Amino acid sequence: ALRLERRLTREVPIGVRVKGRVAAGFEYDGYAITPDRARVEGPEGAVSQVREAMADEVDVTGRSLNFETPVGLTPDRSGVRIVDGAGVVLRVRIRPERITRAFTGVRLEPGFPAGARHPVRLQPATITVELKATREVLDALNPEAIRAFLDLEGMSPREAPYLVKPRIVIEPAEIAMQIAVQSVSDETIYVRIDR
């Protein structure tokens, strides 16, 4: 029996495989592949089943710097071919390893609108903030640079407490850009505003 099928070409995403462990003190930070799609060609039945074109596996063992490398492509199904697989470049990002550290006793700072002053009671009065960054950044961070603001805009004295979410601010801004807030010990603070 002879079966004839239409020849088809279609675009599919490129799948990336990275193996190995980067150098101690560093971590794999993802990749970018250019282009990120490839064209496959073959009989319609086979082409319609192709989900992606697989790039050659790349080994990051022992690496401590970003790098780029050309990669070949193979379809994830037999019976089809890659039409434009040349010139595909994989850029691998590697960065200094980030660690998590808890900073205890971060004081809460109530922020009233300008001119408004009322006695405030906070429960709790301090919180613990868990930050993630490189060891170098966290070692250099002054705990006094971590501030927890409570926005009390529009709030006035009342019997019942307000529930306010603290906003973590780290100064200066250049340092803050390198740090991620992982968690806060108390997501909401009980704020009582007295007359």
Side-chain angles (χ1 to χ4, degrees):
L2 181 64
R3 184 181 172 192
L4 298 176
E5 279 193 88
R6 199 165 52 123
R7 179 163 291 278
L8 192 67
T9 302
R10 83 180 176 97
E11 233 180 40
V12 293
I14 296 176
V16 174
R17 296 168 296 170
V18 175
K19 70 173 184 177
R21 296 177 74 94
V22 297
F26 293 85
E27 63 186 11
Y28 168 69
D29 187 34
Y31 67 86
I33 191 160
T34 309
D36 62 355
R37 297 181 74 78
R39 286 189 306 138
V40 293
E41 182 184 72
E44 184 175 14
V47 168
S48 63
Q49 292 182 33
V50 176
R51 289 194 309 276
E52 60 187 358
M54 297 303 302
D56 296 337
E57 192 171 55
V58 174
D59 193 350
V60 297
T61 302
R63 299 271 194 162
S64 59
L65 297 171
N66 296 343
F67 68 96
E68 65 177 50
T69 181
V71 289
L73 300 177
T74 335
D76 65 358
R77 294 279 187 282
S78 60
V80 298
R81 69 182 188 91
I82 304 289
V83 177
D84 49 4
V88 178
V89 176
L90 179 69
R91 291 172 183 82
V92 177
R93 296 187 301 271
I94 296 172
R95 66 182 175 198
E97 184 179 28
R98 296 185 304 162
I99 61 169
T100 301
R101 186 175 297 166
F103 291 82
T104 58
V106 176
R107 291 198 62 79
L108 293 155
E109 301 180 24
F112 279 109
R117 287 287 176 269
H118 296 287
V120 174
R121 289 178 288 155
L122 306 175
Q123 180 62 39
T126 64
I127 59 173
T128 297
V129 178
E130 199 172 66
L131 303 177
K132 187 171 188 176
T134 63
R135 185 179 303 279
E136 182 182 50
V137 167
L138 292 180
D139 285 347
L141 181 64
N142 179 353
E144 298 294 315
I146 307 166
R147 304 168 72 189
F149 285 106
L150 298 172
D151 184 3
L152 305 184
E153 180 77 38
M155 297 180 192
S156 56
R158 73 177 192 186
E159 200 61 39
Y162 292 96
L163 294 176
V164 182
K165 186 174 181 173
R167 181 171 56 91
I168 307 303
V169 175
I170 299 166
E171 295 172 340
E174 310 86 72
I175 298 292
M177 288 169 47
Q178 303 174 57
I179 299 173
V181 176
Q182 287 295 100
S183 66
V184 176
S185 60
D186 296 83
E187 290 290 331
T188 51
I189 308 299
Y190 287 87
V191 179
R192 290 187 182 274
I193 303 176
D194 299 326
R195 294 191 181 280

